[in-house]
Amino acid sequence: MNLSWFWSRSFLMNRGMLWLLFVVNLLGTIYGYIWYGNQLEDTLAHNPLWQIVFVPDSPTASLFFTLVLLYFLFPPKSSSKWINGTRMIIEGLAVVTSVKYGIWAVAMIVAGGWQGDPLNWQHGMLSISHLGMALEVLLYARFMRAGGIAAFIGTLWLLLNDTVDYQFGVFPWLAEVLMDDLPQVELFTYCLSIFSFIVGWLALRARKQV
C-alpha cells in the first residue's frame, strides 16, 4: 500500500474520517475536563474565579481542534471578516496549544517516571492520547486557513497561560517527585510555548485552502 495515501487530502478530509476524529476528540475533551475535576474544584475553593479558565490546558487544546473539525465538516457559508477571523484564531489556537500540551504532558510523565514516580496503564494511555493531539493537528494544519498571525495570537495565549499557571500556582498537578524541580518545569514550559509557535507557524505555511 502507498503510505502517501494516508497523507493525502482525499483520505484526511474524507467526511467519514472527519466525523470519526470529531467524535474521538469530543469524547476526549469531555473526559479531559472530568480528569481535571479535582483540580478545578480546588482552584474554585482557593483561587479567584477568573483563574479557572487557565487550569484545564489539554482539554481546552482538544476543544479548539474539535471546533476546527466542525469548520471542516460544516464550512461557514458567510465570508464575513468576523467569521473568517474567528475561524483563523481558533485554528491558530488549536495548532499551538495541541502541539505544546501534547508534548508537555508526555515530557512530564517521562520526567516523573525517570525520577521514580510509579507509572501505570493510565500514564501510557495519556501519553498516546497526547501525542495523538500533536500529530493530528500537524496533519491537518495544511488544510486550515490560519497563518502566522493566528499562530502568534495563539502563542500569546500560551504565554499568558504559562504566567498565570506558575505565578498563581494553577499549573497542572505534577508528580510529587517533580515538585522540587518546579523552576526547571516552568522554564521548560515557557520554552515549549516558543517551540510550539515555530512548529505551528511552519505547519501553517503549508496550508491549503479548504
Side-chain angles (χ1 to χ4, degrees):
M1 179 180 292
N2 187 355
L3 294 179
S4 64
W5 181 74
F6 292 101
W7 170 251
S8 69
R9 178 189 179 96
S10 59
F11 174 73
L12 293 174
M13 295 300 288
N14 177 275
R15 289 187 67 83
M17 175 59 69
L18 291 174
W19 272 114
L20 175 62
L21 287 175
F22 174 78
V23 171
V24 169
N25 279 271
L26 179 61
L27 293 177
T29 299
I30 294 171
Y31 177 77
Y33 283 115
I34 293 173
W35 178 273
Y36 272 90
N38 290 336
Q39 185 173 356
L40 289 169
E41 291 179 5
D42 184 75
T43 302
L44 284 173
H46 301 99
N47 297 70
L49 179 62
W50 65 269
Q51 294 177 14
I52 198 73
V53 70
F54 297 99
V55 173
D57 296 334
S58 294
T60 302
S62 178
L63 175 62
F64 288 139
F65 185 65
T66 303
L67 293 175
V68 170
L69 292 170
L70 269 183
Y71 281 121
F72 289 158
L73 286 165
F74 304 102
K77 295 181 180 179
S78 172
S79 59
S80 72
K81 291 183 178 179
W82 186 87
I83 291 177
N84 285 334
T86 301
R87 172 177 180 170
M88 287 189 287
I89 289 173
I90 290 175
E91 289 176 342
L93 284 164
V95 171
V96 297
T97 59
S98 294
V99 169
K100 179 192 175 168
Y101 295 118
I103 296 173
W104 187 91
V106 176
M108 292 304 105
I109 291 172
V110 171
W114 182 265
Q115 295 197 34
D117 184 46
L119 300 182
N120 54 42
W121 67 269
Q122 289 181 318
H123 292 100
M125 177 196 70
L126 289 171
S127 296
I128 292 172
S129 62
H130 280 80
L131 287 176
M133 282 174 52
L135 176 61
E136 67 183 2
V137 81
L138 292 176
L139 284 174
Y140 280 89
R142 64 193 175 107
F143 303 118
M144 298 180 189
R145 297 184 177 181
I149 294 177
F152 179 73
I153 292 173
T155 305
L156 291 180
W157 166 258
L158 287 181
L159 294 173
L160 173 62
N161 200 340
D162 295 342
T163 302
V164 173
D165 276 358
Y166 293 95
Q167 291 300 312
F168 298 98
V170 294
F171 53 86
W173 284 347
L174 299 168
E176 188 65 31
V177 295
L178 293 178
M179 291 306 295
D180 59 348
D181 299 314
L182 194 56
Q184 290 81 7
V185 171
E186 180 179 357
L187 177 61
F188 171 76
T189 302
Y190 274 104
C191 291
L192 190 55
S193 291
I194 303 303
F195 172 80
S196 299
F197 165 70
I198 296 171
V199 172
W201 177 72
L202 290 173
L204 289 169
R205 285 189 66 185
R207 70 188 184 278
K208 294 180 179 180
Q209 296 297 331
V210 177

